[in-house]
Amino acid sequence: MKPDDYINSSPRFFRLIGWAAVFGLLALVLMAVLVPAPLQEPANQALVPNPVKAGWFLLWIQEVVSWSKYWIYPLLAAGVWLLALPWLGRCPENERVNWWPRERLTSNLIFVLLVLLVLVLSILAICFRGENWAFVLPW
């Protein structure tokens, strides 16, 4: 690429990011004020809910570990793989701007599959687990 092919977009781009941040923060504050938090009553040791569920962002791990305690090891391996993902599959300099470069296609597909798996497991744990962590239909 020649230097004439580039468009100086920094001021326009950062202005757009600034406005997005302002409107995002405003929306978050309005939701915090208008939508009540789904909090329960204070904890009572004499009355423990059944099942005791983790936070929504950890329910997928609780779902996997409910199958067997040894499933935590593949989860840890996947976490290490995700942390190492930026250094796996180096791309040539001119391919770094592509969303799906051919050299990193396998890594990208595995990442997308892991994200979809986390979503499916979270929905399963939220909607389809009942008393004693038994599988129940939500309807």
Side-chain angles (χ1 to χ4, degrees):
M1 292 185 122
K2 298 180 293 195
D4 298 337
D5 292 339
Y6 290 103
I7 298 172
N8 189 4
S9 61
S10 293
R12 173 185 250 176
F13 180 67
F14 288 118
R15 196 174 306 127
L16 178 65
I17 290 175
W19 281 111
V22 167
F23 284 121
L25 185 64
L26 183 63
L28 186 65
V29 168
L30 283 173
M31 286 179 62
V33 170
L34 299 176
V35 179
L39 299 176
Q40 298 176 351
E41 62 277 350
N44 182 0
Q45 291 183 354
L47 186 66
V48 179
N50 185 9
V52 177
K53 291 186 178 181
W56 63 268
F57 48 90
L58 294 175
L59 272 175
W60 66 277
I61 295 176
Q62 186 176 0
E63 176 67 32
V64 170
V65 175
S66 72
W67 303 335
S68 170
K69 65 181 178 182
Y70 298 110
W71 275 96
I72 195 68
Y73 299 115
L75 289 178
L76 291 174
V80 169
W81 180 79
L82 286 174
L83 289 174
L85 193 57
W87 294 279
L88 298 175
R90 291 289 184 189
C91 292
E93 191 68 32
N94 60 350
E95 289 289 324
R96 288 193 182 167
V97 296
N98 291 344
W99 279 97
W100 294 89
R102 294 186 194 277
E103 291 82 12
R104 298 187 72 160
L105 188 62
T106 305
S107 296
N108 289 337
L109 288 176
I110 292 172
F111 176 76
V112 169
L113 289 175
L114 282 175
V115 169
L116 290 175
L117 181 66
V118 166
L119 287 174
V120 167
L121 290 174
S122 296
I123 291 171
L124 180 71
I126 290 171
C127 300
F128 294 96
R129 290 298 178 176
E131 192 170 310
N132 295 325
W133 204 252
F135 186 77
V136 296
L137 295 176
W139 50 85

